[in-house]
Amino acid sequence: MKDILCNSSYFGVVISLIGYSLGVLIKKKLKHVIFNPLVVSIFFVITILLVFGIDYNDYSKSTQYISFFLTPATVCLAIPLYIQIKLLKKNFKAIILGILTGVLSSLVSVFVLSYFFGFTHQLYITMLPKSITTAIAMDLVGELGGIKNITVVVVILTGIVGNIMCESICRLFKITNPIAVGLAIGTSSHAMGTAKALEIGRVEGAMSSLAIVVSGLLTVVLINIFTGFL
Amino acid sequence: MKQISQIAIILLISFIGEVLNKLLDLPIPASIYGLIIMLICLETKIIKIEKIEKVANLLLELMPIMFIPASVGIIAVGNEVKNIVLPISIIIFLTTIIVMVTTGKVTQFIILKDRCKKE
């Protein structure tokens, strides 16, 4: 039985989709941000894997077709961006300065906290690109000599935190302008936050997609200044 | 048939992104090249938005599902990070909020200031 589950091409995909549907269902019934479909599905899948003793690598192999669509989907982020391009041109200065501020505050706060916790250079490098999209962060960390596996998890957790918290944080700090909300979400929590921004509104979603690209590229450029600090 | 050509266009651009990623020695992933190429194609009307909209919106809607496999990878690095879970969690939590607030506040401030100036 275990062999069948481990070598199946469909089992991993099926439990992922069931987990997500379950998450959507729970969210509909109990309207609370904690019941985020992604978080529910992650817990669901981990539970199933542990119960049946399935190795993560087997699950990962079975779900490669889900992951396959991530690049095309990221390419499609150009569509909300294109629809809102007038808005981008009209508010160019605010958008660029806003994202630049976010990127710098991310790098500075990771540095300060890593210093405070006495992290090694390698762990510090591993944490530095935590706010940008998984794909860029992994490539960057690989190049700088950090630990890729940890970076992926940290980036994803950052996305989950952003996805869950963004609505309350924006409300709490009175960030109400749709452009500002979108940029805040995209710069702090990449594509996973953007998924939420798309739900909030079209302008928010577009600005959040824009922020992923711009903050990712700015981080690639600026990270080299910070790597030597610790 | 329409959907097939939409998928083809999106995958073609993803492929071009992949080629650029392999050819150019920059830490920029295929998806980001693809995104920029797609935006240029739409902006210059090489690709009309109606030609990809349907499939593109479907992919965007399904995007959260695509993060499940990588997220479950948390169980694979469990042992390496056991001793530093707390500091890492604090960093994740704090910096995400700091970045969100600084980006949002600065953007909002500049937009409102510019608007006042114009009026």
Side-chain angles (χ1 to χ4, degrees):
Chain A
M1 181 63 185
K2 196 183 153 188
D3 274 359
I4 298 175
L5 293 184
C6 285
N7 296 317
S8 166
S9 314
Y10 307 106
F11 184 66
V13 181
V14 170
I15 55 171
S16 307
L17 294 182
I18 292 176
Y20 194 79
S21 315
L22 204 67
V24 172
L25 198 75
I26 291 174
K27 204 196 163 196
K28 244 182 216 160
K29 291 254 190 266
L30 315 161
K31 296 180 175 22
H32 194 282
V33 279
I34 287 292
F35 301 107
N36 174 288
L38 184 59
V39 177
V40 172
S41 57
I42 293 164
F43 276 108
F44 180 80
V45 172
I46 290 179
T47 310
I48 297 280
L49 295 187
L50 293 178
V51 167
F52 289 97
I54 298 162
D55 192 53
Y56 171 70
N57 290 328
D58 291 327
Y59 167 75
S60 171
K61 212 187 290 158
S62 160
T63 51
Q64 57 180 310
Y65 299 106
I66 299 186
S67 311
F68 166 83
F69 282 104
L70 196 52
T71 296
T74 309
V75 170
C76 291
L77 286 174
I79 282 92
L81 198 55
Y82 168 70
I83 294 173
Q84 303 291 346
I85 204 145
K86 269 194 196 130
L87 215 54
L88 165 66
K89 288 178 181 163
K90 217 176 107 197
N91 300 286
F92 188 75
K93 194 181 95 191
I95 289 169
I96 294 301
L97 287 177
I99 298 175
L100 183 65
T101 311
V103 168
L104 285 173
S105 69
S106 176
L107 294 169
V108 170
S109 55
V110 171
F111 163 66
V112 171
L113 289 164
S114 299
Y115 181 78
F116 177 77
F117 288 121
F119 278 7
T120 60
H121 174 74
Q122 194 186 32
L123 196 53
Y124 164 61
I125 299 292
T126 303
M127 297 293 289
L128 257 185
K130 63 170 279 296
S131 290
I132 63 173
T133 185
T134 319
I136 304 185
M138 270 176 70
D139 287 357
L140 259 182
V141 165
E143 202 142 303
L144 299 171
I147 310 156
K148 272 191 194 180
N149 259 351
I150 298 179
T151 301
V152 177
V153 176
V154 168
V155 167
I156 286 160
L157 287 175
T158 298
I160 294 174
V161 170
N163 183 304
I164 295 175
M165 306 267 301
C166 60
E167 280 174 305
S168 346
I169 293 290
C170 288
R171 213 178 303 128
L172 186 66
F173 288 90
K174 299 193 175 60
I175 301 165
T176 48
N177 180 285
I179 298 173
V181 171
L183 294 185
I185 297 173
T187 308
S188 61
S189 47
H190 54 92
M192 284 167 95
T194 301
K196 180 57 131 214
L198 287 165
E199 284 171 28
I200 300 176
R202 296 184 101 173
V203 177
E204 286 87 344
M207 288 302 124
S208 193
S209 324
L210 172 73
I212 298 175
V213 186
V214 179
S215 67
L217 296 176
L218 283 176
T219 302
V220 171
V221 177
L222 293 173
I223 202 166
N224 289 303
I225 303 169
F226 282 80
T227 50
F229 285 3
L230 192 74
Chain B
M1 267 316 282
K2 270 184 191 154
Q3 273 88 336
I4 298 199
S5 69
Q6 300 202 356
I7 295 171
I9 292 172
I10 293 166
L11 290 185
L12 173 67
I13 292 182
S14 307
F15 169 66
I16 298 172
E18 193 182 33
V19 172
L20 286 175
N21 170 260
K22 292 268 166 1
L23 289 181
L24 304 174
D25 193 24
L26 296 167
I28 298 170
S31 58
I32 299 298
Y33 285 119
L35 200 166
I36 294 167
I37 294 167
M38 181 67 98
L39 189 63
I40 293 170
C41 288
L42 288 169
E43 193 50 12
T44 53
K45 311 274 186 253
I46 294 171
I47 297 172
K48 284 205 185 96
I49 187 152
E50 303 84 51
K51 295 268 184 254
I52 48 159
E53 214 174 12
K54 236 181 174 168
V55 171
N57 285 334
L58 177 69
L59 282 175
L60 288 177
E61 210 171 294
L62 294 176
M63 206 165 175
I65 294 169
M66 300 165 197
F67 296 117
I68 299 174
S71 309
V72 172
I74 290 169
I75 56 172
V77 291
N79 285 327
E80 286 174 64
V81 289
K82 226 183 246 165
N83 300 321
I84 41 168
V85 167
L86 188 67
I88 287 186
S89 308
I90 293 172
I91 292 181
I92 290 171
F93 196 74
L94 281 184
T95 52
T96 308
I97 294 172
I98 292 170
V99 175
M100 205 178 274
V101 174
T102 53
T103 311
K105 277 290 178 193
V106 168
T107 313
Q108 191 159 284
F109 176 76
I110 298 174
I111 291 175
L112 293 180
K113 212 179 72 183
D114 282 1
R115 219 171 269 168
C116 287
K117 233 187 269 168
K118 271 172 207 156
E119 274 159 15

